[in-house]
Amino acid sequence: METAEVKQGFKGYNNYGAWLREKYAGQRVFKVIVDGGFTCPNRDGSKGYGGCTYCNVDSFTPSVSRSTPNLREQVEQGMERAIKGNKADKFIIYFQPNTNTYAPTHYLKMMYDEALSINTENIVGLSVGTRPDCIDAEKIALLESYTDRFDVDLEMGMESIYNDTLNQINRGCTHEDLLNALKLVENSKLDICVHTIFGFPWETREMMLRYADEINRHPQIKFVKFHHLHIVEGSVMGVKYKRDPFKLFTLDDYAEFLCELLPIVRPDVVVQRLFGLSDRELLIAPNWQLKKSEIQYYIDKKILDRGIIQGSAL
């Protein structure tokens, strides 16, 4: 393949950027990340303290969101940046940090309503990130109440399909919690996204590839976010890594892994992300020494050069 094809947007997988362009008739749609000030049940003592061992929530939250507690200001400034930097036409309001359904339903409604009331005519979607053990029928009904005006996606952290891993990372919930949440949204109007992390040192390549089987068997899963394991400052895993470093993905190894994974992922699943990034000042490892766009280009080129097509091995 010519490298020009990568630049022109041709990819061997069902990528989110192309999906957005097609769904919204070529309009430039960007997510506006807002921090609603939520916590997590394994941070506040409900299920545990300290959070997941890999997690320092600040490392995955834009600094502007962290320094601007006012919800309106976050939305307005996020929209302004997207317009100036990316010539955005429309927006998806994305409640990202921590667990964004971890509050009484009436409080959630107040938060979602406020965020969606700002420049409403240019908002096309609401995206809510949460844990599968913080979902119930009442909260699903609340999110569904917005679907007559917006596209609504519910993003749940699957992280791993193995309870042993979930226990080791102090996740505070089980894979069965995810299965129960997926059961609740079987016939829902919501678009369901699951988030996974690859590279826990005790999971083999074969174990990680089995994540695809679990995603494939749930037709209600519309989107996926694939991340590689980061070790960040302020996390329990970061302390352990500094004491006794363990093997992590190199960029080439991770790209090769994705080339194995994508052919066994259902072709209709839309891939929102192939990798994750944290703030450079907080990142301990792996540091691939590249910008986000350069990592994306490297992975996309590897996929093209290998002739990889999502779902081709099913």
Side-chain angles (χ1 to χ4, degrees):
M1 297 282 185
E2 296 293 329
T3 57
E5 289 183 285
V6 179
K7 295 177 182 176
Q8 291 167 4
F10 179 83
K11 302 177 190 284
Y13 59 94
N14 190 3
N15 76 93
Y16 189 50
W19 182 87
L20 285 173
R21 286 192 295 275
E22 182 175 351
K23 180 170 182 62
Y24 298 110
Q27 295 183 98
R28 297 174 68 83
V29 179
F30 283 81
K31 285 187 175 180
V32 174
I33 296 174
V34 293
D35 185 342
F38 296 97
T39 184
C40 290
N42 65 341
R43 282 180 174 269
D44 69 0
S46 174
K47 290 194 169 184
Y49 294 98
C52 301
T53 61
Y54 58 80
C55 187
N56 172 340
V57 70
D58 283 354
S59 67
F60 301 103
T61 309
S63 57
V64 174
S65 294
R66 294 200 298 269
S67 62
T68 311
N70 182 287
L71 195 65
R72 174 171 287 275
E73 288 178 354
Q74 289 184 53
V75 173
E76 290 175 344
Q77 291 175 17
M79 288 179 173
E80 185 179 345
R81 285 193 306 275
I83 292 170
K84 286 184 177 178
N86 299 290
K87 299 182 179 178
D89 299 309
K90 301 292 181 181
F91 307 97
I92 296 169
I93 302 300
Y94 181 23
F95 282 84
Q96 182 195 39
N98 286 304
T99 306
N100 295 278
T101 60
Y102 189 44
T105 305
H106 67 87
Y107 181 82
L108 297 175
K109 185 177 189 306
M110 180 184 71
M111 296 289 285
Y112 302 157
D113 283 354
E114 181 180 358
L116 292 168
S117 70
I118 303 159
N119 194 13
T120 304
E121 65 275 12
N122 288 317
I123 296 173
V124 296
L126 170 66
S127 179
V128 176
T130 191
R131 293 162 53 98
D133 57 345
C134 293
I135 288 295
D136 57 39
E138 186 180 25
K139 290 169 183 174
I140 290 169
L142 169 64
L143 290 170
E144 288 179 333
S145 71
Y146 296 102
T147 58
D148 61 337
R149 291 164 289 157
F150 308 102
D151 292 318
V152 183
D153 79 79
L154 178 64
E155 178 184 318
M156 295 185 286
M158 177 167 83
E159 317 311 10
S160 173
I161 64 173
Y162 302 106
N163 282 333
D164 177 63
T165 293
L166 298 177
N167 184 54
Q168 287 197 60
I169 65 175
N170 191 41
R171 182 67 177 150
C173 65
T174 65
H175 188 58
E176 286 69 34
D177 288 321
L178 176 69
L179 298 181
N180 291 336
L182 288 172
K183 186 76 174 172
L184 284 173
V185 295
E186 258 183 346
N187 299 301
S188 176
K189 298 175 183 177
L190 304 177
D191 294 328
I192 305 304
C193 177
V194 294
H195 175 283
T196 71
I197 298 175
F198 296 114
F200 293 114
W202 51 84
E203 289 190 6
T204 66
R205 205 174 192 87
E206 291 70 27
M207 289 173 70
M208 291 186 286
L209 289 172
R210 290 190 199 114
Y211 287 31
D213 296 334
E214 192 69 336
I215 291 165
N216 292 344
R217 77 185 187 93
H218 296 287
Q220 62 270 53
I221 295 176
K222 181 169 185 172
F223 302 123
V224 292
K225 286 185 175 179
F226 298 139
H227 279 208
H228 62 289
L229 178 64
H230 289 94
I231 310 299
V232 295
E233 297 284 359
S235 68
V236 173
M237 200 172 280
V239 174
K240 292 180 177 178
Y241 184 85
K242 285 181 178 180
R243 288 176 183 164
D244 186 16
F246 44 84
K247 184 177 171 63
L248 296 167
F249 275 118
T250 66
L251 176 54
D252 192 62
D253 283 345
Y254 186 62
E256 288 290 343
F257 170 74
L258 290 173
C259 287
E260 288 185 63
L261 179 72
L262 288 169
I264 58 173
V265 174
R266 238 175 44 225
D268 63 291
V269 173
V270 179
V271 180
Q272 289 199 12
R273 286 187 189 171
L274 286 175
F275 61 95
L277 282 180
S278 66
D279 289 351
R280 285 201 173 190
E281 62 268 25
L282 292 175
L283 180 64
I284 299 172
N287 190 346
W288 293 338
Q289 304 289 336
L290 294 173
K291 298 176 183 176
K292 180 181 178 181
S293 59
E294 293 170 332
I295 295 171
Q296 187 71 58
Y297 180 85
Y298 183 97
I299 292 174
D300 284 347
K301 186 174 185 305
K302 174 79 74 172
I303 290 168
L304 282 172
D305 287 347
R306 291 278 304 278
I308 300 301
I309 300 295
Q310 182 178 331
S312 61
L314 296 175

